[in-house]
Amino acid sequence: MSADVVEAPSFPQRRTCPYQPPGIYRDIAERGPINQVTLWNGRRVWLFTGYAESREILSDPRLSSDRSYDEYPTMAPHLGAEEARKLVLVGEDPPTHDIHRRLLNPEFGLKHARALRPRIQADIDALIDAMLEKGPPADLVADYAMPIPGLAMSALLGIPFADHAFFQDATRGVMQASTPEETNAAGKALFGYLDGLVSAQERDPGEELLGRLARRVLEGELGHDELVQLAMVLLIAGLETTSSMIPLGVVALFDHPEQLAALREGRVPVRVAVEELLRITAVTDFGGVRWVTDDIEIAGRHIKAGDGIVVSSTMANRDPSVHADPYTFDLSRGSRQHLTFGFGIHQCLGQSLARTQLEVAYETLVRRLPGLRLAVDSDELTMRQSGTMQGLVSLPVTW
């Protein structure tokens, strides 16, 4: 092995365990909280694995999320596509980011998430009903995890769930494509679909989020294309993460039957359990990608303007200075000291809604299907081939 490979290993890498990071990440973190890694295109960037250092850097105003600059680190070939680079909100810096964030913050607070909870519960119960009626086995990805965020985002935004097959395929195409061409095709298709929905809302605004924001367009506060782009980002972020997270958490529970029993029997409240599931099974191994606009000194490292920054949420969540036995899966831990939702100005807008969906999804699953178990050997489970968004192709279960 060359010295260069040792100094800056490739990143990201695929997991061999659905919910634990590759072993080499642990080797990197043991060298210190900030190290260099090599991306797919040969570029070296700074990887942050320490919890405190990650929070500090994500709060630094000398970082940029603007993907239109060459300095922005692209984490995979398809993420360099135009449709991935021009995403608003997640790819914006202040003051534009602040304007869009202030517009959306009230719509994604805890109050709105709680108001949607009965609807989420009813939708999830209907999915379980359908599984029971059909009988085992079932695919917990296709039959359960994927529809849940689609139903929630449809209710929130005012998007017809009847179109869910299309918009779920399109969002998956943007985030998990193999080539930039596939990403661009999926992004353009999704933009066209949402453009039509937004135009309809501008003609006759409804009461859901798209309708409320369409009124802002009519009043001149927001541009039509801006709203289409915002809807696109919300849909992509709202679907891919939650639908990937649910099956990963279930596999972690299957692998730890004593933890599953504690959740099923109510010895660990579901809201507590969800925090450990979020910490241990993060669906991406990087919780922040930025580039540096001015030199930064941090933790003994000199990071130069133009350098790329990648925060590994997976490893920051396993910082031994924050969590005792950080690789141990313990539902009763219940700590919110994790970076699964990021940190700083780009911290996940929809985290209250995500937590609500996860709480209802796990609680309903273990309550209504108490005998739930794998229908295949665990070594038959297949991870998706994308190294950027972790997830299972399918999860065959029986009960």
Side-chain angles (χ1 to χ4, degrees):
M1 185 178 291
S2 71
D4 279 354
V5 171
V6 172
E7 289 173 9
S10 62
F11 186 91
Q13 297 189 24
R14 295 192 185 112
R15 297 178 187 174
T16 54
C17 171
Y19 51 87
Q20 294 284 15
I24 194 168
Y25 291 4
R26 190 168 184 170
D27 296 338
I28 295 169
E30 286 175 353
R31 299 182 203 164
I34 308 171
N35 293 279
Q36 286 198 320
V37 292
T38 305
L39 302 185
W40 62 276
N41 56 5
R43 181 181 177 183
R44 286 194 177 193
V45 298
W46 295 100
L47 181 72
F48 281 64
T49 57
Y51 180 78
E53 294 79 9
S54 296
R55 284 167 58 102
E56 181 179 346
I57 199 68
L58 288 174
S59 303
D60 199 303
R62 292 168 290 182
L63 295 189
S64 174
S65 295
D66 192 335
R67 305 178 181 199
S68 66
Y69 287 81
D70 290 338
E71 287 85 351
Y72 182 85
T74 55
M75 302 303 293
H78 71 279
L79 295 179
E82 179 186 1
E83 292 296 317
R85 294 181 75 93
K86 72 180 185 182
L87 292 175
V88 300
L89 199 63
V90 294
E92 292 176 336
D93 295 330
T96 307
H97 170 267
D98 298 342
I99 294 169
H100 287 152
R101 186 82 183 204
R102 281 195 297 269
L103 183 69
L104 294 170
N105 271 339
E107 305 286 350
F108 285 88
L110 185 57
K111 178 181 176 181
H112 279 265
R114 285 174 173 166
L116 276 174
R117 192 178 187 112
R119 170 74 177 271
I120 292 169
Q121 182 68 69
D123 286 337
I124 288 177
D125 275 326
L127 293 173
I128 296 284
D129 290 342
M131 288 168 60
L132 289 170
E133 183 178 353
K134 180 183 174 184
D139 177 5
L140 214 60
V141 173
D143 297 334
Y144 193 69
M146 284 183 59
I148 288 172
L151 287 159
M153 293 304 291
S154 293
L156 176 70
L157 294 174
I159 295 175
F161 185 70
D163 298 334
H164 75 280
F166 165 76
F167 61 70
Q168 285 177 326
D169 283 348
T171 56
R172 194 180 310 117
V174 173
M175 294 303 297
Q176 300 177 33
S178 300
T179 66
E181 291 76 20
E182 290 176 3
T183 294
N184 281 332
K188 290 180 188 303
L190 186 58
F191 185 94
Y193 169 75
L194 292 170
D195 179 62
L197 286 183
V198 169
S199 295
Q201 290 288 340
E202 289 167 359
R203 291 190 295 271
D204 183 19
E207 296 305 315
E208 291 82 10
L209 178 55
L210 280 188
R212 293 195 294 274
L213 293 179
R215 292 184 178 91
R216 302 284 189 107
V217 175
L218 297 174
E219 293 164 2
E221 297 179 37
L222 189 66
H224 170 87
D225 282 359
E226 272 185 290
L227 177 50
V228 176
Q229 282 282 356
L230 286 171
M232 186 170 171
V233 169
L234 293 175
L235 203 54
I236 290 170
L239 294 181
E240 284 300 297
T241 50
T242 306
S243 64
S244 297
M245 166 75 192
I246 293 170
L248 294 180
V250 170
V251 171
L253 289 167
F254 283 160
D255 282 354
H256 299 82
E258 74 289 352
Q259 302 290 322
L260 177 57
L263 178 61
R264 182 181 290 130
E265 295 164 12
R267 287 182 280 120
V268 177
V270 68
R271 60 177 179 77
V272 173
V274 160
E275 295 308 320
E276 179 71 347
L277 287 162
L278 283 165
R279 183 189 75 86
I280 208 81
T281 66
V283 300
T284 179
D285 289 326
F286 46 92
V289 180
R290 311 281 191 270
W291 60 277
V292 179
T293 60
D294 200 1
D295 289 11
I296 296 174
E297 297 285 342
I298 180 171
R301 296 289 195 179
H302 177 71
I303 300 178
K304 298 179 293 184
D307 281 358
I309 296 289
V310 177
V311 171
S312 173
S313 50
T314 307
M315 297 313 300
N317 290 354
R318 289 165 172 76
D319 187 330
S321 70
V322 178
H323 301 291
D325 299 320
Y327 288 85
T328 298
F329 179 49
D330 178 8
L331 288 184
S332 64
R333 192 192 303 263
S335 172
R336 285 201 174 195
Q337 286 186 286
H338 59 74
L339 298 182
T340 299
F341 292 119
F343 192 74
I345 64 170
H346 286 281
Q347 190 172 34
C348 177
L349 180 69
Q351 61 182 287
S352 292
L353 180 59
R355 281 187 167 100
T356 299
Q357 292 178 78
L358 293 172
E359 288 174 13
V360 178
Y362 289 123
E363 188 279 330
T364 308
L365 197 63
V366 300
R367 172 172 50 83
R368 296 198 57 192
L369 297 174
L372 191 71
R373 60 193 184 276
L374 276 176
V376 297
D377 291 337
S378 58
D379 58 8
E380 293 182 44
L381 297 177
T382 304
M383 295 287 290
R384 289 198 303 253
Q385 293 304 301
S386 167
T388 57
M389 183 71 73
Q390 308 291 343
L392 290 161
V393 174
S394 65
L395 182 53
V397 294
T398 188
W399 53 88

